[in-house]
Amino acid sequence: MDPVSERTRRLTRRHFLGDAVLGAGSFALASLLARESSAQAALGMPAKPLAARAKRIIFLHMAGAPSQLDLFDPKPKLAELDGQPIPESFTQGERFAFIKGTPLILKSPYRFARHGQAGHEFSELCPNFARIADRLTVVRSMHTTQFNHAPAQMFLTSGHERIGRPSFGAWLSYGLGALNQDLPAFVVLTSGQYGPDGGASLWSSGFLPGVHQGVRLRSSGDPVLFLSNPPGMDALSRRRSLDALAQLNQMQFAQRQDPEIETRIAQYEMAFRMQSSVPELADLSQESAATLEAYGAEPGKQSFANNCLLARRMLERDVRFVQLYHWGWDSHGTGTGDDIVHSLPERCRECEKPSAALIEDLAQRGLLDDTLVVWGGEFGRTPMNERRNGSTFLGRDHHPHAFTMLLAGGGFAPGVRLGETDELGYRVVKDPVSVHDLHATLLHLLGLDHKRLTYRSQGRDFRLTDVAGEVVRPLLA
Amino acid sequence: MLACGLLCAAGLGLSTPEPQDAQQRPSTQLASVDFARDVKPILDGRCIECHGPRKRKGDLRLDQRLSTLAVVAPGDSARSLLLERVLSTDSMERMPQAGPALEPQQIETLRRWIDAGADWPAELENAFVAPAHWSYAPIVRPQLPGDVALFPPSEALDALVAAQRDKHGLSASPPADPVTLLRRVSLDLTGLPPTLARVDAFLADPTETAYELVVDGLLASPQYAERMTQWWLDLARFADTNGYEKDARRSNWPWRDWVIDAFTANMPFDQFTLRQIAGDLLPSATLEDRIATGFCRNTLVNEEGGTDAEEFRSAAVVDRTNTVSTIWLASTLACAQCHDHKFDPFSQKEYFELYAYFDNTTDTGNVLEPLLRLPTSEQARQEAELAARTADLRRQLAQCPAPRSLVHAQLVPARYTPQAQLLEEELQQRDAELAALRGHVATTLVLEERAQRRQTHVHLKGSHLSPGDEVQPGLPAVLSAKDPHDPADRLAFARWLTSKDNPLTARVIANRLWARLFGRGLVASLDDFGTRGDAPSHPELLDWLACALVDSGWDVRAFQKTIVMSATYRQSSHVHSDLLERDPSNVWLARGPRLRLEIETLRDVALFAAGLLNPQLKGPSVMPYQPDGVWAPVYSNDQWSNATDAERYRRGLYVFWRRSSPYATFTLFDAPSRELSCTVRARTNTPLQALALLNDPAFVECAAALGKRALAEGGEQDAARAAHLFRLATAREPRAQELDVLLDLLAIEREQRGGAGGEIDSAEQAAWTTLANVVLNLDETVMRN
């Protein structure tokens, strides 16, 4: 083993914490944390042993899993063998979510072309990704361990298929703290007909202190739960009652001297600031017509486009981790509502333009340099037609062995394309990237060593990457 | 990892000599070092954890002579990497990495041992034997000093606390004032504040006798049982839904009511344990005993199509094993599910021997059965009546002359006689009534043992798809003095848990009950009594409490009475900067603890102060108000329907618990999802909590009712009304300057809202609601002081 890297590797959290100069966010974080967890709070303070390439991250999770074979990973062989049984060598010992019997190969109904200097291949369903091809880093060799939505989403989110581990955003909030004292560090937005299959567990703080859990910005009612004053109470009245509350709590502090009381006073003040900062954040009408047009956003509507624009407003305000979920990519082909001929193009229309607009907008505002963008689903889809109960609609079943992710921003090498799948797109044959590898790489770019970002629970140290994960160097600029 | 570094360094030129020449080196002139006496304790104590039989970091084992010679040059300490690394001042290089550096005399011992030839007697070739860990040692009642032994229990407790406190140069705080104490003990034992009548009575007579009467009254109340049940529900991961992706509703509340009944009856904790783990196996198991096993069925069920039932059955058995290990043994056995435990003496095989106790039940991973139907007596009567009537109708129909094809035909054929047609119509109606009635009968999830024993295997790498060796039910060796396969089944295992053969349960449960009242355990790691957990701050007190618990016949009520009667518990919780600096976590108990109330209690306190609380006990879970859109069920149209009647004012422990989306306000205050056992809730303090207490319509409703109550009950004067309001929330009279703040706020709110203060109109109501809203958000209200 190389002694130098060994030496670097042994720079433990404990050590660099001792030397680290605490950043601006640390005070807010410390005060957010309970007195009881102040030891953890100390561990959660900004501390950067590595040079961070990025400060923020936005994860665009396409819940249901988009078909890589119809969008990003063209396989001419599928057209050649369309309708024929897939060779048994591929499917021996395989378990599918829905496919029964010997499955038949399904070609993509879409044309692909190369785009940009990078020569990334996109199908005709992705004209906007095609336009910004040279900003994108493409990984065609993603693979996962789960083939049902909820566990696969949990895995992509928390590095573990079962519920109970902290999600990525919670780890980041714990590891780096908040950059903005008026907004939570980890915000979640959902769109589509339903929420993601994994539900609120996807933004859980797991065993980390509850303060790190994702705050879901709601698209109807209060953007943050209980943000609005009760009917009949205006901001002035709220201010007066908070002043009275602060005075009374001060008197209590003078009596009891418990610093928890001071923290409580500070939290009520932050709550008051959030009452103005969050609605201001959520108010899309402040955006120009051109911007709204670029995203396809319409103020007041529940849509992925609106969420992308909201996300940009959050990133501008230095929210650490913005997580978007859009439901509806589960193209089984049981009807027009979930096939690759009608439903898939519909999802692309909803998501593809705003996703590209977001990346361009971040670039124009100089935010892309230190913001990571991740776009993809929890697994891929089969090269075979699902034909559930003899359905004549075209669709693909869940496929954990190979799928594609798009990456952009802070520290990723634009234009790079990594990984290959076999001629049917069934398995990865070159440069496989696991979910843990992806997490390790993202943390690396955010200035955290995934092996050192740990939290003790149930008698041992846990990591986002469990006991696996390697930084995928070829993806880095 | 660190030894990798050692060996790398060795490869870079710090090579070690051959062992043979080593042994011919002459010994040095200094007094001789004995390996067994002087050196081995250092290696065992500070090195073996990483460079021993379990971790073998860098392939270096300092419990083995040959391996050790890779870093020791016998006779030449200057060329021995071991010494170089323990001496290093570079924190990356210095060994041991964990904990402080070795003491100078320890390093000197190592140096002299090496220079003297690094003698390592052959009989100690593989020498490491784990030292006995405190928690696995039998509990021995500590010898109390002389007269202390004669003290009443709570005073003996105080003496044991005082001994440690004195040692750390701290002194006890004065007793809390009577009102604070009364509110504290009421909240701790019942989860509700005292009524003002009780406050007044106690203030009039704040004596020892009066306090004891109060305590006895609280412990005997049904609200005590509710409070204890709320504690147990987190541990038992009780919820109203199945978990996983679908997370559909289940009915297991009869089990929750069983827990309430058990605490009401002060069921001894050993019986409480036995029935929940193996009530079904008791020789003459009653209906209640079977309901009690719902504890084990609080595991998740995955109803999604295409799931492998065995995968999720196995996950449920794993959860039962882990939950029992956590709650009763405070052991991180879960770590041994995939491999031998890295730190504690549990092998993977032992994990699956424990798992085997739970591996022989009939439940599967993807359906709710087995269920117990629990008709009320009225339902049972109706059911019998309807069943008799339908049977009679079928008999009559069968005797009708006309030909009939199907009893349940959609359309009655025209060729029926009019009489048969009437019978048929009634039959259909009665059948529908019977089905509806049966649909309303409560059910609960239970355990049932299989007739034929299921073979249990080790799951290689923790995967049920990779069976290893077959195992029989058995206890981990470190916990079993006798034959490890006695206890032989789940029933015997449940008995063993609270038997004197098990050193853990009494300590663990005593510690949990202590932590419930002090916010911190005598062993701070409530769930880890293993080698990685915290050592007890008061080992004698812990064992003394454990003995007291067992000797009382596991009387949980008496145990808690001992604690709340102690002077330790009754201390003031005021902090001083000196105290805070010297003992920030209050380990040495030189003050009473201040704790933020759990959210269920916080909600109950607001409802209680407002006079809204519905004291009804038990029954199906309820759905109080929560905002639209919070409850976003996946794959179903299941809706949260806000209760509009008095159900919405029921206590927090009855609130419907959906695992994938618990009650929104609860989640904001660190309530767990209840997918897994949760034995410690965090007590965070966040702005989202502030928003909830200020603006959640459920809390605002309480504020409005509290404001009204102050107007109705507080006399005619503003000051008296404001004081009454303040007391309803905090139990104490406001000080003059506090009252001034409230009255100033009242005046300006009244003015801003155009109220005159003369009559109680809506403006006046609103002003008082604002006041009540402030008081319900006071630090003092939110905390138990």
Side-chain angles (χ1 to χ4, degrees):
Chain A
M1 186 184 298
D2 166 19
V4 176
S5 74
E6 163 64 16
R7 194 187 175 91
T8 318
R9 221 149 60 84
R10 255 185 290 122
L11 253 175
T12 64
R13 276 187 76 77
R14 190 179 66 236
H15 289 115
F16 65 71
L17 276 171
D19 312 328
V21 176
L22 302 180
S26 63
F27 175 76
L29 182 74
S31 63
L32 280 171
L33 284 157
R35 184 184 43 176
E36 280 85 349
S37 54
S38 54
Q40 285 83 15
L43 286 177
M45 287 177 183
K48 292 169 194 158
L50 310 168
R53 295 296 308 269
K55 289 203 294 194
R56 321 164 205 87
I57 170 168
I58 174 164
F59 204 122
L60 304 156
H61 188 137
M62 302 298 119
S67 170
Q68 77 283 12
L69 297 167
D70 298 298
L71 303 175
F72 312 120
D73 196 8
K75 292 292 162 187
K77 196 78 176 171
L78 294 181
E80 207 178 291
L81 300 176
D82 186 47
Q84 295 182 32
I86 186 159
E88 229 178 75
S89 58
F90 282 94
T91 56
Q92 211 154 27
E94 286 277 280
R95 204 151 58 103
F96 298 100
F98 293 98
I99 284 177
K100 295 198 171 74
T102 307
L104 308 181
I105 284 171
L106 175 64
K107 69 174 182 185
S108 175
Y110 302 109
R111 283 192 304 274
F112 279 78
R114 290 193 179 273
H115 298 277
Q117 292 187 340
H120 290 327
E121 287 168 290
F122 292 112
S123 83
E124 56 196 313
L125 296 180
C126 304
N128 297 286
F129 284 145
R131 193 183 73 239
I132 62 160
D134 287 334
R135 292 199 185 280
L136 299 175
T137 308
V138 179
V139 183
R140 282 171 167 176
S141 50
M142 289 297 305
H143 60 97
T144 179
T145 61
Q146 301 299 311
F147 78 154
N148 268 330
H149 295 295
Q153 289 168 2
M154 287 304 304
F155 189 56
L156 185 59
T157 293
S158 71
H160 191 72
E161 65 276 14
R162 298 238 175 86
I163 288 159
R165 303 275 174 94
S167 59
F168 197 136
W171 275 114
L172 207 60
S173 166
Y174 158 69
L176 294 180
L179 285 164
N180 179 331
Q181 294 194 37
D182 300 343
L183 290 170
F186 174 22
V187 181
V188 181
L189 297 162
T190 68
S191 54
Q193 193 179 351
Y194 301 103
D197 311 69
S201 311
L202 293 174
W203 47 93
S204 155
S205 53
F207 43 69
L208 293 176
V211 67
H212 298 296
Q213 83 196 0
V215 173
R216 187 174 151 226
L217 220 54
R218 294 142 41 87
S219 51
S220 64
D222 278 347
V224 165
L225 270 181
F226 312 125
L227 190 69
S228 300
N229 292 320
M233 175 178 262
D234 57 22
L236 281 173
S237 171
R238 172 55 81 210
R239 187 62 257 169
R240 289 193 297 271
S241 66
L242 285 178
D243 286 344
L245 181 63
Q247 271 179 282
L248 292 167
N249 281 341
Q250 276 299 347
M251 292 173 189
Q252 171 83 345
F253 177 68
Q255 285 274 320
R256 294 194 167 273
Q257 304 281 311
D258 184 346
E260 175 88 2
I261 302 171
E262 284 186 306
T263 308
R264 178 154 288 112
I265 294 168
Q267 299 303 23
Y268 274 80
E269 290 308 310
M270 173 152 172
F272 183 75
R273 291 198 303 275
M274 280 177 68
Q275 287 190 304
S276 47
S277 65
V278 172
E280 188 274 334
L281 165 76
D283 182 9
L284 294 187
S285 67
Q286 298 175 4
E287 294 289 331
S288 72
T291 302
L292 291 171
E293 166 62 29
Y295 282 81
E298 296 172 50
K301 202 178 142 194
Q302 191 247 47
S303 72
F304 182 76
N306 278 19
N307 286 352
C308 280
L309 185 48
L310 269 174
R312 193 221 72 216
R313 293 173 66 85
M314 281 184 241
L315 295 167
E316 263 177 330
R317 287 160 181 76
D318 274 340
V319 171
R320 269 282 178 211
F321 192 106
V322 184
Q323 173 86 58
L324 265 60
Y325 289 97
H326 187 73
W327 184 90
W329 292 91
D330 198 14
S331 310
H332 283 287
T334 64
T336 55
D338 70 349
D339 70 348
I340 59 170
V341 176
H342 304 87
S343 166
L344 182 63
E346 189 61 32
R347 291 296 89 73
C348 287
R349 273 191 291 278
E350 288 163 2
C351 296
E352 196 253 352
K353 175 176 158 180
S355 301
L358 170 68
I359 293 169
E360 285 190 305
D361 198 5
L362 289 174
Q364 274 165 21
R365 288 164 200 263
L367 290 165
L368 193 60
D369 290 340
D370 55 3
T371 303
L372 297 173
V373 184
V374 186
W375 194 102
E378 62 269 21
F379 40 63
R381 309 211 71 93
T382 55
M384 303 87 76
N385 192 358
E386 178 173 316
R387 297 193 306 148
R388 194 189 308 180
N389 304 322
S391 170
T392 54
F393 296 94
L394 303 183
R396 304 181 186 276
D397 204 349
H398 306 168
H399 192 66
H401 304 306
F403 60 107
T404 299
M405 282 255 173
L406 309 181
L407 307 164
F412 281 120
V416 161
R417 188 162 52 255
L418 186 77
E420 273 175 34
T421 52
D422 60 37
E423 55 185 359
L424 296 184
Y426 201 98
R427 285 176 201 281
V428 173
V429 293
K430 197 177 163 209
D431 299 329
V433 177
S434 72
V435 169
H436 291 312
D437 295 337
L438 176 71
H439 288 164
T441 309
L442 293 168
L443 286 177
H444 173 81
L445 290 172
L446 290 157
L448 292 167
D449 180 337
H450 70 105
K451 290 183 181 166
R452 279 185 251 137
L453 181 64
T454 63
Y455 191 85
R456 175 145 300 190
S457 172
Q458 299 176 321
R460 78 163 171 99
D461 289 340
F462 282 84
R463 301 185 345 212
L464 172 62
T465 51
D466 199 5
V467 294
E470 294 289 336
V471 175
V472 187
R473 304 270 166 197
L475 295 176
L476 309 183
Chain B
M1 185 195 301
L2 60 95
C4 292
L6 282 169
L7 295 179
C8 292
L12 291 170
L14 301 161
S15 64
T16 50
E18 289 303 303
Q20 305 72 302
D21 12 85
Q23 279 164 10
Q24 290 150 17
R25 302 242 166 198
S27 58
T28 54
Q29 68 280 17
L30 287 162
S32 69
V33 177
D34 180 73
F35 174 74
R37 185 195 61 211
D38 305 321
V39 178
K40 187 167 164 295
I42 301 172
L43 298 178
D44 286 0
R46 298 300 311 277
C47 313
I48 294 303
E49 185 177 311
C50 297
H51 302 288
R54 287 189 185 277
K55 284 200 182 166
R56 306 170 197 196
K57 285 197 173 178
D59 222 16
L60 174 67
R61 289 187 56 170
L62 296 175
D63 61 327
Q64 291 182 342
R65 182 180 147 268
L66 276 175
S67 180
T68 303
L69 286 171
V71 292
V72 164
D76 193 351
S77 60
R79 288 181 56 230
S80 293
L81 196 57
L82 178 75
L83 214 65
E84 184 184 322
R85 297 300 288 270
V86 298
L87 280 167
S88 174
T89 50
D90 180 341
S91 62
M92 256 66 64
E93 297 284 321
R94 197 262 292 160
M95 294 289 157
Q97 283 274 288
L102 295 183
E103 305 283 331
Q105 74 268 26
Q106 289 178 315
I107 295 173
E108 188 51 31
T109 301
L110 292 176
R111 182 202 307 284
R112 284 168 48 206
W113 171 65
I114 295 171
D115 286 338
D119 178 48
W120 189 315
E123 67 272 20
L124 294 173
E125 188 67 33
N126 292 299
F128 179 67
V129 179
H133 183 62
W134 67 270
S135 68
Y136 308 133
I139 304 173
V140 180
R141 178 186 280 276
Q143 289 292 316
L144 298 183
D147 50 341
V148 177
L150 303 172
F151 284 0
S154 51
E155 289 176 34
L157 182 162
D158 289 331
L160 287 165
V161 170
Q164 288 290 333
R165 194 168 45 213
D166 292 349
K167 230 184 259 179
H168 290 83
L170 296 163
S171 47
S173 292
D177 67 86
V179 178
T180 301
L181 176 63
L182 183 64
R183 185 173 188 265
R184 177 190 299 176
V185 74
S186 301
L187 286 168
D188 280 350
L189 297 183
T190 66
L192 294 173
T195 60
L196 294 189
R198 181 168 269 171
V199 175
D200 290 337
F202 190 57
L203 274 174
D205 179 23
T207 57
E208 186 74 14
T209 324
Y211 178 67
E212 185 164 3
L213 277 175
V214 166
V215 168
D216 287 338
L218 293 170
L219 287 169
S221 70
Q223 287 72 39
Y224 160 79
E226 289 181 315
R227 178 71 191 90
M228 292 304 291
T229 299
Q230 187 190 307
W231 167 69
W232 191 249
L233 294 184
D234 268 10
L235 276 84
R237 73 268 191 253
F238 169 79
D240 294 297
T241 61
N242 290 327
Y244 292 120
E245 188 165 353
K246 290 208 164 170
D247 202 22
R249 298 191 192 197
R250 64 167 50 169
S251 162
N252 208 25
W253 59 265
W255 170 79
R256 183 248 285 133
D257 286 358
W258 178 90
V259 178
I260 295 177
D261 289 339
F263 281 115
T264 305
N266 196 25
M267 180 183 282
F269 193 81
D270 54 347
Q271 294 300 312
F272 185 69
T273 300
L274 180 64
R275 281 166 169 72
Q276 292 184 84
I277 292 176
D280 57 319
L281 298 178
L282 286 169
S284 49
T286 62
L287 186 69
E288 283 71 29
D289 294 337
R290 296 183 64 203
I291 293 172
T293 64
F295 169 83
C296 292
R297 293 298 312 281
N298 281 329
T299 43
L300 277 52
V301 168
N302 194 343
E303 295 178 304
E304 206 202 342
T307 50
D308 174 1
E310 183 57 19
E311 177 182 353
F312 294 97
R313 188 193 71 80
S314 161
V317 177
V318 162
D319 181 38
R320 280 167 209 159
T321 312
N322 297 352
T323 299
V324 170
S325 305
T326 301
I327 296 180
W328 279 271
L329 306 176
S331 294
T332 56
L333 266 144
C335 295
Q337 191 187 323
C338 307
H339 48 67
D340 292 349
H341 201 291
K342 298 281 187 196
F343 313 113
D344 293 336
F346 304 116
S347 69
Q348 192 194 11
K349 176 159 174 281
E350 288 177 318
Y351 178 87
F352 283 96
E353 287 171 344
L354 202 60
Y355 171 103
Y357 286 117
F358 297 95
D359 195 30
N360 200 38
T361 52
T362 57
D363 50 295
T364 67
N366 58 0
V367 293
L368 283 171
E369 278 72 17
L371 298 169
L372 212 53
R373 297 180 73 246
L374 302 167
T376 61
S377 52
E378 174 60 18
Q379 284 171 328
R381 188 188 61 74
Q382 286 179 12
E383 193 178 353
E385 240 176 59
L386 277 169
R389 179 64 187 153
T390 52
D392 185 43
L393 287 167
R394 286 204 170 78
R395 199 165 41 247
Q396 288 186 44
L397 266 170
Q399 289 160 4
C400 281
R404 309 176 55 249
S405 52
L406 285 166
V407 174
H408 290 288
Q410 291 283 314
L411 295 165
V412 180
R415 59 182 178 276
Y416 271 18
T417 63
Q419 187 213 2
Q421 194 166 336
L422 280 175
L423 289 172
E424 181 65 41
E425 280 169 8
E426 187 188 347
L427 178 61
Q428 287 190 16
Q429 192 192 331
R430 298 285 173 224
D431 273 341
E433 286 172 18
L434 189 58
L437 177 73
R438 287 183 170 152
H440 282 106
V441 168
T443 57
T444 200
L445 282 65
V446 292
L447 276 190
E448 261 173 22
E449 194 79 347
R450 280 158 53 102
Q452 196 175 0
R453 171 120 220 125
R454 183 183 268 124
Q455 281 191 357
T456 301
H457 295 265
V458 170
H459 297 176
L460 300 176
K461 293 190 173 178
S463 166
H464 75 289
L465 296 174
S466 315
D469 292 346
E470 190 181 345
V471 292
Q472 299 300 320
L475 299 171
V478 71
L479 295 175
S480 58
K482 303 180 213 154
D483 172 11
H485 295 294
D486 162 47
D489 61 9
R490 184 155 49 85
L491 180 64
F493 171 74
R495 290 209 159 100
W496 170 82
L497 272 179
T498 53
S499 76
K500 298 219 166 167
D501 296 334
N502 172 8
L504 285 169
T505 298
R507 285 183 176 122
V508 170
I509 298 300
N511 193 52
R512 289 196 190 290
L513 291 169
W514 178 276
R516 215 182 70 66
L517 297 168
F518 285 95
R520 183 181 200 285
L522 296 170
V523 178
S525 55
L526 299 189
D527 290 341
D528 191 357
F529 277 42
T531 58
R532 281 309 176 100
D534 295 296
S537 53
H538 301 68
E540 289 203 325
L541 176 58
L542 179 66
D543 279 4
W544 182 84
L545 287 168
C547 287
L549 181 59
V550 174
D551 293 348
S552 70
W554 295 92
D555 185 337
V556 172
R557 216 180 262 176
F559 183 85
Q560 295 186 98
K561 183 175 172 183
T562 300
I563 296 176
V564 300
M565 291 305 296
S566 70
T568 304
Y569 174 82
R570 290 194 257 171
Q571 289 175 102
S572 160
S573 62
H574 285 241
V575 185
H576 312 285
S577 51
D578 175 54
L579 196 51
L580 200 62
E581 196 168 303
R582 293 173 63 192
D583 187 12
S585 310
N586 198 20
V587 175
W588 307 115
L589 298 161
R591 60 182 188 271
R594 282 185 89 236
L595 303 168
R596 200 255 288 144
L597 296 174
E598 287 175 355
I599 180 59
E600 290 94 328
T601 306
L602 206 43
R603 182 176 173 278
D604 292 349
V605 164
L607 288 168
F608 185 86
L612 294 174
L613 189 76
N614 174 356
Q616 193 195 323
L617 301 168
K618 306 198 283 188
S621 298
V622 299
M623 294 188 167
Y625 171 85
Q626 70 174 343
D628 287 344
V630 169
W631 218 46
V634 182
Y635 296 151
S636 85
N637 293 316
D638 196 9
Q639 294 296 318
W640 180 275
S641 49
N642 289 327
T644 49
D645 52 12
E647 287 287 283
R648 71 184 190 274
Y649 305 132
R650 299 280 304 280
R651 292 192 71 177
L653 87 153
Y654 300 112
V655 171
F656 191 94
W657 205 288
R658 186 189 176 90
R659 283 176 158 136
S660 57
S661 179
Y663 189 59
T665 313
F666 287 9
T667 304
L668 293 177
F669 285 83
D670 309 298
S673 68
R674 298 251 179 99
E675 275 139 341
L676 297 169
S677 174
C678 167
T679 63
V680 191
R681 278 193 202 181
R683 296 178 188 268
T684 60
N685 184 351
T686 73
L688 300 182
Q689 292 169 1
L691 288 171
L693 293 188
L694 290 170
N695 298 332
D696 176 352
F699 278 94
V700 173
E701 187 181 6
C702 289
L706 175 59
K708 257 186 208 165
R709 198 174 165 193
L711 283 169
E713 299 174 359
E716 297 302 316
Q717 301 301 317
D718 284 346
R721 286 171 169 174
H724 186 61
L725 192 155
F726 190 91
R727 280 188 87 204
L728 285 168
T730 65
R732 72 167 170 91
E733 290 282 353
R735 287 178 279 272
Q737 50 171 352
E738 291 169 330
L739 200 55
D740 286 347
V741 172
L742 288 175
L743 292 175
D744 285 352
L745 180 64
L746 179 69
I748 189 161
E749 286 301 311
R750 200 179 259 157
E751 184 195 313
Q752 292 291 326
R753 290 165 196 275
E759 54 187 301
I760 300 174
D761 54 14
S762 64
E764 182 71 3
Q765 295 271 12
W768 282 94
T769 300
T770 303
L771 238 60
N773 186 251
V774 167
V775 169
L776 288 177
N777 277 276
L778 286 175
D779 178 80
E780 193 169 352
T781 308
V782 170
M783 302 289 283
R784 154 269 199 233
N785 294 286

